[in-house]
Amino acid sequence: MTEQEWDDGTPKVFKKTLGWIDRMLDSHESANALIILLIVLSILPILGIGILLTRAANPVHQVEVRN
């Protein structure tokens, strides 16, 4: 498969996304902003897992009611 055929087979959305990423990474300021954004977004699942694990470590006691 030639390079021209490969370019024609690539979806338009994929090409547009790659172009946007290339433009964002051209300048140092925007690249730094993207790195900070990725770091913040990677912290969110870690916090969520931590919250779930601490809830599991401290189970809620159920009270049984008898009539």
Side-chain angles (χ1 to χ4, degrees):
M1 180 181 281
T2 65
E3 189 172 338
Q4 182 65 28
E5 290 173 352
W6 174 256
D7 287 341
D8 291 341
T10 306
K12 188 176 184 178
V13 173
F14 187 65
K15 286 182 188 178
K16 198 171 200 177
T17 304
L18 286 179
W20 179 76
I21 291 170
D22 285 338
R23 284 194 312 272
M24 286 295 289
L25 293 176
D26 280 342
S27 69
H28 292 291
E29 292 83 13
S30 60
N32 288 341
L34 285 176
I35 291 170
I36 291 170
L37 180 67
L38 287 174
I39 290 171
V40 169
L41 290 176
S42 67
I43 289 173
L44 292 177
I46 294 170
L47 289 175
I49 291 170
I51 291 171
L52 289 175
L53 289 176
T54 54
R55 278 193 175 178
N58 188 13
V60 177
H61 299 287
Q62 294 182 354
V63 178
E64 182 179 339
V65 178
R66 293 186 183 182
N67 290 332

